[in-house]
Amino acid sequence: MGFLMDGLVAEEYDRAYSDRHLVGRIAGYFRPQLKIMLGVAGLIVLNSLMDTALPLLLARGIDALSVVRRLDTVGLLVGAILGAGGLSWLFNFFRQWWTARAVGDVVLQLRRDAFSAVLARDLSFYDENASGKIISRVTSDTEAFATVVTLTLNLLSQILLVILIAGVLLVINLGLALLTFLIAPLIVGIALGFRRVARAWILRAQRSGARVNATVQEAISGITVAKNFRQEGTMYAEFRTVNEQAYGINLRTGFVFSAVFPLLSVAAGLGTAIVVYFGGLQVLDGGISAGTWFLFVQSIGLFWFPLTGIASFWSQFQQGLSAGERIFALIDARSRVQQTDRRPV
């Protein structure tokens, strides 16, 4: 662990921001995109409604076929399912398209602000900080920042879908719905337990990536001197050290993120098995129809998927917040020398 942490201390101008401050500042960059974001919100609602309609159509079709076995009934059912699926795809397509446009505009403005801040720093700033690390904040971290918005919009979609599906479950069978809701806090608790661990490892990964960029940039900038004094081997050894460090940190960061989803899947699978068992007993006792039971099984699958996404959101959200923290620290850094003369260039 000592090797992995070498050289990964915060820069002198780094500062810690609260999640609320970061989210508020990020929201400020999206105010010019308000119309697009409202359109995206409307598409999220329509897409969630179509996703909710699919299990309802399937369940009603099963019950109808068990009573009236006619070909036209099957045709209507297939047509309704295809229509709902097609509309869901169409709404999701435009949602993703408008989201990409809004995120692209925000990243464009953020890079402008970051580069303007770089030009405003005095020369002592560049004497004390490796230029490769500064470049990493303007390029790599602004890309990571864009994930905040995509994750947030996906979160809104998943929250709406969970609310709709929860309403459907309560209407279908109150007892089974309450049993499902008792398992939901377990999934949320597992994901929230990864929050701080994820934030710490993401910061280390970003700093290690910045060290790699700085080493490469400095090597290329001084390649003439290095070749004149035959120092290629020394430069390669330095690069190999920081590259292996970045590899080890990224490996552990990936493990942290990959570990949360299997645990969430196990919890969701356990909940599904319990609900399927008790729901099957009610079907055998004649308490509910086979179509209603199928509807519940399908709906609970739709319920777990966005719920696990919501639960894992905070772990993934830390990547964007960490990137935003590094960018805003660069923008907010104060120069030691304040220029007062305003002569034209």
Side-chain angles (χ1 to χ4, degrees):
M1 286 294 291
F3 163 71
L4 286 177
M5 300 300 110
D6 287 345
L8 297 185
V9 296
E11 304 296 335
E12 184 182 355
Y13 61 89
D14 271 331
R15 59 182 70 184
Y17 298 93
S18 67
D19 286 358
R20 177 179 295 183
H21 177 87
L22 288 172
V23 171
R25 199 158 176 181
I26 291 167
Y29 277 90
F30 279 91
R31 288 194 182 96
Q33 311 296 327
L34 182 60
K35 291 182 179 179
I36 294 179
M37 302 309 291
L38 290 175
V40 169
L43 290 172
I44 287 174
V45 173
L46 294 173
N47 189 34
S48 299
L49 289 173
M50 291 300 103
D51 288 341
T52 307
L54 284 173
L56 289 170
L57 292 171
L58 284 170
R60 295 295 171 261
I62 290 174
D63 285 340
L65 289 174
S66 64
V67 178
V68 181
R69 299 182 179 181
R70 294 178 55 182
L71 188 60
D72 57 346
T73 304
V74 177
L76 288 173
L77 175 62
V78 171
I81 292 172
L82 287 175
L87 287 174
S88 176
W89 180 89
L90 189 65
F91 294 146
N92 187 57
F93 171 78
F94 283 105
R95 177 173 75 90
Q96 298 290 349
W97 184 7
W98 289 356
T99 299
R101 173 65 182 273
V103 171
D105 289 343
V106 168
V107 171
L108 178 66
Q109 184 59 47
L110 188 63
R111 280 185 174 166
R112 287 172 177 167
D113 292 346
F115 192 68
S116 177
V118 168
L119 295 179
R121 301 287 84 82
D122 56 71
L123 292 178
S124 65
F125 180 83
Y126 299 98
D127 291 335
E128 298 168 357
N129 299 284
S131 56
K133 292 184 178 181
I134 300 171
I135 293 170
S136 179
R137 299 200 184 208
V138 178
T139 56
S140 302
D141 288 339
T142 50
E143 288 292 340
F145 170 85
T147 62
V148 174
V149 187
T150 305
L151 284 171
T152 303
L153 291 175
N154 288 337
L155 176 71
L156 295 175
S157 175
Q158 290 165 347
I159 288 175
L160 182 59
L161 186 57
V162 163
I163 293 172
L164 291 173
I165 293 295
V168 171
L169 294 178
L170 288 170
V171 171
I172 299 170
N173 190 292
L174 181 61
L176 292 177
L178 293 177
L179 182 61
T180 303
F181 299 157
L182 286 175
I183 303 168
L186 175 63
I187 295 177
V188 176
I190 291 173
L192 291 180
F194 279 83
R195 178 183 173 185
R196 291 189 178 182
V197 178
R199 178 74 169 267
W201 278 103
I202 288 167
L203 275 173
R204 292 165 186 163
Q206 290 169 338
R207 288 171 182 169
S208 66
R211 283 195 75 194
V212 172
N213 289 341
T215 302
V216 173
Q217 193 272 338
E218 290 168 2
I220 294 174
S221 298
I223 193 66
T224 304
V225 176
K227 283 186 173 293
N228 286 336
F229 291 92
R230 302 297 301 273
Q231 293 298 307
E232 296 96 326
T234 303
M235 295 174 68
Y236 180 79
E238 182 181 357
F239 170 76
R240 182 175 179 177
T241 299
V242 297
N243 195 39
E244 288 178 354
Q245 180 191 49
Y247 167 78
I249 289 176
N250 286 323
L251 198 64
R252 284 161 176 78
T253 304
F255 174 77
V256 169
F257 276 89
S258 61
V260 65
F261 290 104
L263 287 174
L264 292 173
S265 298
V266 168
L270 179 63
T272 302
I274 293 173
V275 172
V276 167
Y277 174 75
F278 286 103
L281 291 179
Q282 291 192 28
V283 173
L284 295 176
D285 294 338
I288 58 175
S289 67
T292 302
W293 181 65
F294 177 79
L295 172 59
F296 203 93
V297 173
Q298 288 291 101
S299 298
I300 200 174
L302 285 175
F303 181 76
W304 290 135
F305 177 74
L307 185 64
T308 53
I310 293 169
S312 62
F313 168 78
W314 281 112
S315 296
Q316 300 177 34
F317 193 61
Q318 299 308 310
Q319 181 176 2
L321 290 184
S322 298
E325 188 172 62
R326 285 165 55 81
I327 298 166
F328 294 141
L330 176 63
I331 293 174
D332 296 341
R334 293 181 177 273
S335 298
R336 294 179 181 176
V337 178
Q338 299 295 329
Q339 180 176 322
T340 58
D341 195 357
R342 297 297 179 188
R343 294 180 184 179
V345 178

